[in-house]
Amino acid sequence: MAELLLGPVLRHVDRTSATVWVETDTPCVVTVACDDGVASAATWNVFGRHYVLVVVEGLTPGRVREYRVALDERTCWPQERSPYPPSVIRTQAVDDGGRDLNVVFGSCRWSSPPSTEDSEERHLDPDALDSLAHRLIRAPDEPLPDALLLLGDQVYADETSRSIRNQLARRRDLSKPPGGQIANFDEYTLLYYESWSDPQIRWLLSTVPSAMIFDDHDVIDDWNTSHAWRTEMAATEWWSERIAGALASYWVYQHIGNLDPAALANDEMLATIREADPGTDVGPLLHEFALRADAEAEGKRATRWSFRRDFGRTRLLMIDSRAGRVLTGDERAMIGADELAWITRQADEGGYDHLLIGTSLPWLLPHGIHDLESWNEALCAGVRGPRLAALSEKLRRASDLEHWAAFRDSFEALSALIGRIALHGPRSGGPAPATVCVLSGDVHHAYAAEAHWVGPGEGPRAADDTGDTGRVYQLTCSPVHNSVPPAIRIGFRFGWGGTATRIGHALARHARLAPLPVTWTKLGGPWFGNHLMTLTLRGRRATLSLDRAEGGRKGRDSRLRRVGRAVLRAE
């Protein structure tokens, strides 16, 4: 008799369809049913693990309905005597201009409970996602978020908990590389189970649609920092299995649920898996797929991890800023030309009031740190000679200097696209969006900044100075559940200050860098602690809220406290 191991996880929801992901302990047929729709699908066998993504179509727009999950016609969800509210699917309305759209986002969530011993050992504050679930459970009248965006580091393959290390030790010798880190697909399943099996998190993921993208710790710290880093990792005996397991498990647990039904229908890997004979282990196919995808960082086109979602008149473009980097001996880019062209096409297809650009790494950093990273990239390229180039490569990796600022050409290309959309609107016609918000994480502090464009012979101006154009923001929220050492806190505070800005300008001159076409003003932060941000959108109005997790462990006494709120754009 089949049992649910993980899930259900509610992923993509639009006006008439929803996708639901589950993992089971044996092969079975999974049925997702509600009062206006039902769909069934057989599980896939991936290295002896069993998964499925069920697509329920023909739903009524603008409705909230409870749903059930059955394995071989036996109802397994909701669980008997569950203390949690029913899991629901809320389809988008045909015209949602009269209601709020609430988008919650954050990044960097280190092992949730049941790893509370490790959390206390590391002196972590409560998990903000667990605290959000606790708040929603205690206040059933509070509106559920319309979307949960997890912007990287959903699992930490290189910083495992005590519980995970104990399980690994029973499988292999941890004195040999990669030691207590994750080695392959099978071990990645342990991380996802640890992260998603906590009952409150499981309930939250079952009832709030989610979208996800990876960052470095989903694989390893410094993932794809440079060509030299890739060459060094390729020379190890264990890396090939690690990266194959990382990307194959990401495809199964995170990526495939990001896609809408049309994209799912065109996904070649999913089609191959669905067409396989029942019981066939498709793990080797995913393994080879993952190795091809990893080769993309050498400038080859293998797969697209970036994706698009529309929430009524709000568009989300989630950008892969890790796996798709171009890192050859003479070229360095955050995204390739094909990826940039795809992003541009999605942005130029109008029909939205707000454009959200999700990227795990911030587009706009503290000013001093931004210039430091651009200076370092220029020196790595040899602008000040080979000796400084070699030293700069070591500094790049030691100090994690690998954000958008450290890929200057890509930074300027993304900035040009954002500026054009905000100032002039999509090429397909129609008005410019009210806001363009770049949503990021990674840097273990939260802040908000507004971008301003600099034209020839002009001073900085906000994008909305004409009254018809959009405002542009960098909104960074990290971590959801982690910490930052005091020295790093000091560094980030210093990075936002005037002294660091002046030092950065001097470094830019030393690297012979051209002036930036965009500048930015910090609106709030840096804030430290475990946070979630919420964008509330209605019509052309946008409001940002920041909540910090405080109190006890595992949500028992923890709470999310509102620590900031600002109107980004009025009607």
Side-chain angles (χ1 to χ4, degrees):
M1 186 171 6
E3 299 288 348
L4 279 176
L5 288 182
L6 282 181
V9 182
L10 183 62
R11 298 305 312 272
H12 184 276
V13 177
D14 56 27
R15 291 174 179 172
T16 60
S17 69
T19 63
V20 178
W21 178 97
V22 301
E23 179 183 358
T24 64
D25 64 344
T26 60
C28 62
V29 173
V30 178
T31 300
V32 177
C34 51
D35 62 9
D36 59 345
V38 60
S40 300
T43 55
W44 329 308
N45 178 358
V46 183
F47 295 122
R49 305 272 178 167
H50 308 282
Y51 309 93
V52 73
L53 184 74
V54 180
V55 182
V56 186
E57 298 183 286
L59 300 177
T60 306
R63 279 198 56 205
V64 180
R65 79 279 286 155
E66 300 177 15
Y67 72 92
R68 307 173 301 284
V69 177
L71 309 183
D72 289 334
E73 300 184 354
R74 184 177 65 89
T75 299
C76 293
W77 191 272
Q79 296 172 318
E80 292 185 11
R81 295 182 294 278
S82 171
Y84 305 115
S87 298
V88 299
I89 296 171
R90 291 161 297 138
T91 46
Q92 298 174 16
V94 174
D95 181 8
D96 57 1
R99 62 177 293 271
D100 289 343
L101 174 75
N102 292 302
V103 179
V104 177
F105 62 96
S107 84
C108 306
R109 183 170 173 264
W110 188 81
S111 61
S112 74
S115 299
T116 51
E117 292 180 4
D118 301 87
S119 297
E120 291 168 0
E121 180 181 298
R122 290 173 58 147
H123 307 292
L124 299 187
D125 289 334
D127 180 349
L129 203 61
D130 199 55
S131 299
L132 172 63
H134 190 55
R135 185 175 76 185
L136 293 172
I137 290 166
R138 288 185 301 178
D141 293 334
E142 180 174 342
L144 291 169
D146 295 279
L148 173 64
L149 310 184
L150 300 175
L151 299 168
D153 294 344
Q154 273 67 261
V155 293
Y156 278 70
D158 54 351
E159 296 180 19
T160 55
S161 67
R162 183 185 308 169
S163 172
I164 293 292
R165 293 193 300 273
N166 289 340
Q167 294 179 69
L168 298 181
R170 292 192 288 269
R171 297 164 174 249
R172 56 180 172 84
D173 183 357
L174 299 191
S175 67
K176 299 178 181 179
Q181 299 185 25
I182 298 302
N184 53 39
F185 180 93
D186 193 52
E187 293 180 5
Y188 263 98
T189 67
L190 304 177
L191 286 184
Y192 283 102
Y193 185 82
E194 178 181 62
S195 183
W196 291 2
S197 63
D198 176 72
Q200 294 189 159
I201 296 297
R202 192 174 183 181
W203 171 82
L204 181 71
L205 293 177
S206 77
T207 203
V208 176
S210 55
M212 310 172 186
I213 195 69
F214 43 45
D215 200 19
D216 56 345
H217 290 287
D218 289 87
V219 180
I220 193 170
D221 189 28
D222 295 339
W223 178 30
N224 284 345
T225 298
S226 64
H227 180 71
W229 181 91
R230 285 182 60 83
T231 301
E232 181 179 311
M233 296 304 294
T236 67
E237 295 181 353
W238 55 272
W239 174 248
S240 178
E241 282 299 309
R242 168 71 155 272
I243 189 61
L247 293 180
S249 63
Y250 175 78
W251 188 93
V252 170
Y253 284 86
Q254 298 190 51
H255 173 70
I256 201 66
N258 290 327
L259 306 182
D260 62 31
L264 290 173
N266 293 320
D267 189 275
E268 294 182 4
M269 190 71 243
L270 181 60
T272 301
I273 287 174
R274 285 173 167 172
E275 292 168 2
D277 292 334
T280 300
D281 184 359
V282 299
L285 294 175
L286 270 173
H287 184 278
E288 292 303 315
F289 164 82
L291 292 178
R292 292 196 305 272
D294 178 55
E296 186 177 31
E298 300 297 342
K300 305 178 184 71
R301 177 80 257 170
T303 190
R304 174 168 290 114
W305 301 111
S306 301
F307 60 93
R308 164 182 160 178
R309 280 200 186 182
D310 286 340
F311 307 95
R313 292 189 59 82
T314 295
R315 177 160 302 160
L316 168 67
L317 298 181
M318 191 76 87
I319 299 176
D320 160 25
S321 53
R322 279 289 175 186
R325 294 178 177 183
V326 179
L327 298 167
T328 58
D330 59 353
E331 187 176 3
R332 194 193 305 262
M334 182 72 83
I335 52 177
D338 180 73
E339 189 81 348
L340 178 62
W342 179 85
I343 295 165
T344 302
R345 288 196 301 273
Q346 308 309 309
D348 274 331
E349 184 183 320
Y352 53 86
D353 291 324
H354 301 276
L355 177 61
L356 311 181
I357 298 177
T359 168
S360 62
L361 303 174
W363 165 55
L364 304 178
L365 288 165
H367 300 93
I369 296 174
H370 180 99
D371 285 336
L372 170 66
E373 295 203 5
S374 294
W375 167 81
N376 174 260
E377 182 198 23
L379 265 60
C380 286
V383 72
R384 287 292 183 176
R387 191 175 74 86
L388 279 180
L391 292 173
S392 296
E393 177 63 33
K394 293 179 181 179
L395 176 63
R396 181 184 183 91
R397 293 170 58 179
S399 303
D400 290 338
L401 306 181
E402 37 135 8
H403 299 83
W404 285 88
F407 295 82
R408 178 69 178 253
D409 288 346
S410 297
F411 172 85
E412 293 191 358
L414 182 62
S415 299
L417 173 62
I418 291 173
R420 178 174 63 77
I421 293 293
L423 292 168
H424 306 294
R427 283 180 173 154
S428 63
T435 66
V436 179
C437 297
V438 181
L439 315 180
S440 306
D442 180 71
V443 291
H444 286 211
H445 72 291
Y447 62 90
E450 183 172 8
H452 312 270
W453 266 258
V454 180
E458 300 178 358
R461 67 186 181 92
D464 72 335
D465 280 353
T466 66
D468 297 324
T469 56
R471 301 182 74 104
V472 179
Y473 298 97
Q474 170 69 65
L475 306 176
T476 302
C477 185
S478 167
V480 171
H481 188 222
N482 213 309
S483 62
V484 59
I488 302 298
R489 295 188 182 212
I490 294 171
F492 282 131
R493 292 187 188 279
F494 179 75
W496 281 112
T499 300
T501 300
R502 289 189 291 273
I503 293 172
H505 290 342
L507 293 175
R509 290 193 296 272
H510 178 259
R512 300 167 182 162
L513 296 173
L516 290 170
V518 60
T519 186
W520 53 98
T521 303
K522 179 170 67 72
L523 303 179
W527 296 285
F528 297 97
N530 293 330
H531 291 95
L532 286 169
M533 280 183 174
T534 301
L535 264 177
T536 300
L537 309 170
R538 177 185 289 193
R540 294 180 65 83
R541 179 183 175 88
T543 303
L544 177 69
S545 303
L546 179 68
D547 294 285
R548 182 166 58 230
E550 299 176 344
R553 305 293 179 185
K554 203 186 173 185
R556 289 192 178 93
D557 301 308
S558 67
R559 65 189 183 106
L560 281 179
R561 184 170 71 87
R562 182 63 45 87
V563 293
R565 185 178 183 276
V567 175
L568 303 181
R569 178 71 184 249
E571 290 283 6

